[in-house]
Each structure stands twice: as structure tokens, then as C-alpha cells.
Amino acid sequence: MARRKFVCGNWKMHKTAAEATALVKELAAGVAEAARAGEVQVAVAPPFTALHAVATALAGTGIELAAQDVHWEAQGAFTGAISAAMLADACCTHGIVGHSERRQLFGETDEGVRRKAAALLGAKIRPIVCVGETLAEREADRTLEVVGRQVRQGLQGLSPEQLRQLTVAYEPVWAIGTGRTATAAQAQEVHAALRKILRELGGPVADEVRIQYGGSVKPENAAELMSQPDVDGALVGGASLKAKDFLAIVKGALR
Ligand code: PEP
């Protein structure tokens, strides 16, 4: 089945509100052409402090707003945390959970991913659930076991209708911010395995779930990666900070 490609820029801990607004202005100038007027779905994930400014700047551009993280509780004494309702209030339509930097640097677990994804869905925000193996795990031939565990545990208990709302992002940890990209064949192999697991979890709805690839996606490799049958878009870190590169990646998603 034809799935609309979905490209999301993860700005990580970059850009003040003013800098983020300036980047959105540059993106707005070229996104309609790059995404062929909506043929490709496009989103950006600024830091929390820039969400409101970016939401305002995005109005009328067709670009959607994503958050980089969320806390699963609705409210309470959780210093520094942001709830799904707060993200909805800031106009987020997507939320990234389980990014490898959160897993590695901030102790995010599969159980945390599950609770965060459920909280987002409860606030009508579509989760982008990241999974990926480390270099040591790939070298030990454990890639499918690791991403399989992450996706099964992270999506545990979701109904087919809830699965339909979300995106899975396969991001091999060894490819994130390293300049090393998975080959198109390596990406396709893992994406096909992930879709098989999605089918076990949700049945036919698996054919509607987008699976993005992330890990040093650049204008030079985007089109080849996204031409694979199970690669339905990209989660882009470094290259999403430059409008020209990000728009070229969006163009790479066109068939
Ligand atoms: C990411 O962090 O989601 C990512 C894919 O980063 P980069 O594109 O910089 O490798």
C-alpha cells in the first residue's frame, strides 16, 4: 500500500525562539515546492522553549509541529517535566519518544517509552517511537532482537487504531550524528522486520504505519534510503538545522 512519506526534523538542543522562527521562515519559503504541495508530510521538533514561537511561525505553511519528549503523568510534582496536555496546548501534533539520546543520556526505558506513547495518544498527539541498536549490538548480530524488543515493549497494549496513529523511527545508534549511514539495504532489512512485528501486534494496520529511517540522513543519501519499500520517511537531526539541506531531504522523499 502507498504510505505518504513523512520527514521530521529533530532540532535537539539547538535554537532560541528567535533563531527557530528565522529557520521556519526559510523553510516556509521552499516547503510547498519541496513537498510538492503536501505530497510529503513535514514536521519540525524544536526545543520546548521555542514551541510557541514556532507554532505561530508555522501557521499556513503546512509544516507540522513535534515535541522532542514528554512526561507520562498528566500533572504534578515533576520538576522539569512537560505533559502531553501541555504539548497539545502548544499546538504539537507529534511527539518523539524513545530517542537514543534520551535512552542513553537520560535513562529512558522501554517501559517509559510505552507510558509516554500512551500519554501522547491520550492527548491526540501522534507518537514517533524511536528504536535502534548500538554498534556493539549490530556487531554481535543482535539488531533484530534489540529493535524487536524495543518495539514490542514500547507499543505493548496499544490497539490497532492507536498503532495506526503512530510512526516508528528506526535509528541505528551508530549512525546518529556520526556521518555513518546505514545502507539502503540495511535499513530496508530492519524496516521489513519491524513491519512484520507491527503486523503481529496490530494486524493489517501495520501496512499503514510509517517507519522512518534516522541516522545521518543528508541530501546525498535521502532519496536512495526513502526509495526502499518499507522506508516511509526520515527523522533528521543535524541536516534539519539548515533549511537548504532539510528541504533537499524533503524533495528526496518524492517518488
Ligand atoms: C536523530 O538524532 O534523530 C538523528 C537522526 O540525528 P542525525 O541526523 O544528526 O544523525
Side-chain angles (χ1 to χ4, degrees):
M1 87 165 288
R3 290 174 290 270
R4 184 158 75 122
K5 297 272 200 264
F6 178 25
V7 177
C8 180
N10 173 13
W11 295 354
K12 308 194 183 187
M13 200 173 73
H14 293 283
K15 311 242 172 245
T16 62
E19 291 163 349
T21 304
L23 178 52
V24 170
K25 288 212 171 103
E26 282 187 75
L27 292 174
V31 73
E33 191 210 327
R36 215 185 276 154
E39 202 170 299
V40 180
Q41 186 175 8
V42 181
V44 293
F48 291 135
T49 48
L51 284 174
H52 271 291
V54 170
T56 304
L58 287 179
T61 64
I63 302 173
E64 297 171 39
L65 186 63
Q68 296 179 19
D69 189 25
V70 65
H71 189 55
W72 56 76
E73 294 288 351
Q75 60 185 359
F78 303 103
T79 302
I82 303 284
S83 73
M86 291 169 183
L87 297 178
D89 184 51
C91 302
C92 290
T93 49
H94 303 268
I96 299 171
V97 294
H99 191 279
S100 65
E101 287 153 15
R102 302 289 325 165
R103 291 179 190 263
Q104 294 199 315
L105 304 173
F106 301 97
E108 183 129 325
T109 61
D110 292 330
E111 169 61 8
V113 171
R114 187 190 66 73
R115 296 174 81 175
K116 289 178 177 192
L120 288 174
L121 287 164
K124 301 204 171 352
I125 296 175
R126 294 164 183 260
I128 299 174
V129 179
C130 303
V131 299
E133 82 286 4
T134 63
L135 186 58
E137 288 162 344
R138 174 160 282 267
E139 287 176 347
D141 207 12
R142 294 185 50 221
T143 298
L144 299 185
E145 170 205 327
V146 170
V147 300
R149 186 207 71 227
Q150 290 171 331
V151 87
R152 279 179 212 283
Q153 294 189 4
L155 306 186
Q156 202 185 328
L158 297 182
S159 67
E161 188 43 49
Q162 288 175 312
L163 289 173
R164 178 183 276 128
Q165 309 295 322
L166 58 81
T167 299
V168 174
Y170 168 54
E171 299 209 300
V173 179
W174 48 271
I176 294 182
T178 58
R180 247 185 103 172
T181 318
T183 63
Q186 282 173 324
Q188 171 56 27
E189 183 196 10
V190 179
H191 284 227
L194 288 170
R195 196 170 310 283
K196 206 164 152 224
I197 296 171
L198 288 169
R199 202 162 286 124
E200 285 166 30
L201 297 175
V205 88
D207 290 323
E208 293 173 49
V209 177
R210 270 88 58 88
I211 307 178
Q212 295 173 320
Y213 169 80
S216 298
V217 176
K218 305 184 254 308
E220 303 80 56
N221 58 26
E224 196 195 349
L225 284 160
M226 289 188 275
S227 70
Q228 299 301 304
D230 287 291
V231 179
D232 308 313
L235 185 54
V236 186
S240 70
L241 296 171
K242 286 197 186 126
K244 190 164 160 274
D245 288 355
F246 187 64
L247 291 173
I249 291 169
V250 170
K251 252 189 196 160
L254 292 169
R255 278 164 239 275

